Amino acid sequence: MKVEQFQAVRGMNDVLPSASPYWAALEETLRQWLASYGYCEIRFPIVEPTGLFVRSIGSVTDIVEKEMYSFVDGLNGEALTLRPEGTASCVRLVIQNHLLHEGPQRLWYTGPMFRHERPQKGRYRQFHQCGVEALGYAGPEVDAELILMTARLWKRLGLTEVSLQLNTIGSSETRARYRTRLRDYFLGHTAVLDEESRRRLETNPLRILDSKNPAMAQIIQGAPSLMEDLDESSQIHFDTLQQLLHDAGQAFELNPRLVRGLDYYNATVFEWVTPLLGAQSTICGGGRYDGLVEQLGGKPTPACGFAMGLERLLALLEMIPVWASRNGPTPEVFVAHHGATGWALRVAEVLREAGVRVLFHAGEGGFKSQMKRANTSGAAFAVILGDEEQARHEVSLKPLRGQGEQQRMTVSEALAIIKSNT
Ligand code: ATP
Ligand code: MG
């Protein structure tokens, strides 16, 4: 009888031992980088009430319209969704736990997100983000801090072919005025619009600017700019931010077409893009969301943040020589044994107790094949245990590099030699 073999869900990836060292190295770099800016980690559930995302991301957005994994909990009828992003959950967590009563918050999170998109390189249905959020800061200096922070990360990772795009989308009044103007403009070009954009003319014309349909690129390029509708306070905020970035030596490119695909953004928006990843060119996106805390039931609180896609970062890192040769944990000692399994297990534990990385031989294999494995394991020493070693409570130590001979000794003598040579 043929047994069905299961496959992972399309667009959801396994991380194999050959790839996990890269993930671990990236995550370690992220932790150190975030600590150096004073941001604190939070963790929130992978499943949230569907309404949280509908209300924050917006009902007429790609994510909510067609990308969410939503379902009804069969046990109690609750409408639930696998988180498609982290900002909404972060704000929910902050409100629910009254964190803002303790003052402004600098927070970060990382983990899997879920969007039902067409899988392709750099675009998956389960992917990973690291998000950074600063809540309770109104001034543009925190926008600048977040941007400089991302630039610092690229430096630490050794990424050079990335550039910063910057825009402001003003207040909600600005966007309401602009929406009308944009709608009138696109109404004059309905023949070029695809079906989705025609629908969005009535519901959310700003989203048309976000379209990746090449047939519409030209009319999008010719669309009116939001700048004419920009409110004064957003203008001042944006001017100051540009000045701060300039003073800090941070280059950027103004992109008046950059609107970001989520409704909660206002004022500053930015993206880091790279020419090296084809159509999946954005590695990091963010901006202000000054209205979101209030919109989700908290007290009015300005906020700003960004999220990066870790798969896209790793795809870039793979291209850098220093990253291209990562290995998993290599042992320092290989424990080989024959007829003395109990003593071997004990010796291995003594070595680990002293902080040594030990690979213990398990399974079949005579002495010769064990020594072969020891030699390919990367360990500097083999500790060999047979009947005689067991009887005398000793070990045989064999250096695996260089010329050294195998020698019988006590466990503590062996440990001293291992410690001073690894
Ligand atoms: P895109 O325009 O590529 O669809 P987005 O605007 O939907 O991106 P955000 O919601 O801003 O993306 O998410 C922040 C980052 O998360 C993106 O810049 C990208 O690096 C990453 N990301 C988003 N969706 C995916 C996905 N399906 N697979 C892998 N990474 C993703
Ligand atoms: Mg998207």
Side-chain angles (χ1 to χ4, degrees), residues 330-334 357 359 372-381 400-401:
T330 48
E332 293 161 321
V333 169
F334 187 96
R357 292 194 303 276
L359 190 63
K372 248 192 206 152
R373 259 177 255 173
N375 276 310
T376 53
S377 71
F381 293 94
L400 295 171
R401 297 175 205 143

Side-chain angles (χ1 to χ4, degrees), residues 257-422:
R257 302 284 168 264
L258 181 65
V259 289
R260 312 270 309 117
L262 302 90
D263 274 359
Y264 50 65
Y265 286 113
N266 70 288
T268 312
V269 290
F270 66 91
E271 284 189 358
W272 282 92
V273 295
T274 173
L276 302 179
L277 295 178
Q280 275 51 257
S281 56
T282 307
I283 53 166
C284 172
R288 279 213 157 255
Y289 48 95
D290 295 325
L292 185 58
V293 177
E294 187 177 16
Q295 200 186 328
L296 291 178
K299 61 173 187 181
T301 307
C304 192
F306 63 81
M308 320 176 263
L310 301 191
E311 282 81 359
R312 292 186 194 176
L313 279 182
L314 283 166
L316 285 181
L317 293 172
E318 271 173 23
M319 301 177 194
I320 305 177
V322 288
W323 276 78
S325 57
R326 302 249 154 193
N327 293 313
T330 48
E332 293 161 321
V333 169
F334 187 96
V335 170
H337 52 93
H338 190 71
T341 314
W343 177 228
L345 281 167
R346 251 176 83 181
V347 170
E349 286 307 314
V350 172
L351 297 176
R352 291 177 183 127
E353 174 90 20
V356 180
R357 292 194 303 276
V358 180
L359 190 63
F360 178 81
H361 166 73
E364 299 294 308
F367 228 65
K368 230 173 144 185
S369 83
Q370 289 192 41
M371 289 317 290
K372 248 192 206 152
R373 259 177 255 173
N375 276 310
T376 53
S377 71
F381 293 94
V383 166
I384 301 162
L385 306 148
D387 293 335
E388 275 187 41
E389 284 85 356
Q390 172 155 351
R392 298 176 177 216
H393 268 209
E394 287 184 347
V395 304
S396 289
L397 184 72
K398 181 173 166 52
L400 295 171
R401 297 175 205 143
Q403 303 300 320
E405 287 294 306
Q406 178 171 329
Q407 274 187 333
R408 180 89 61 76
M409 60 188 75
T410 65
V411 178
S412 41
E413 282 164 349
L415 190 54
I417 296 175
I418 291 164
K419 280 295 216 180
S420 59
N421 286 286
T422 53

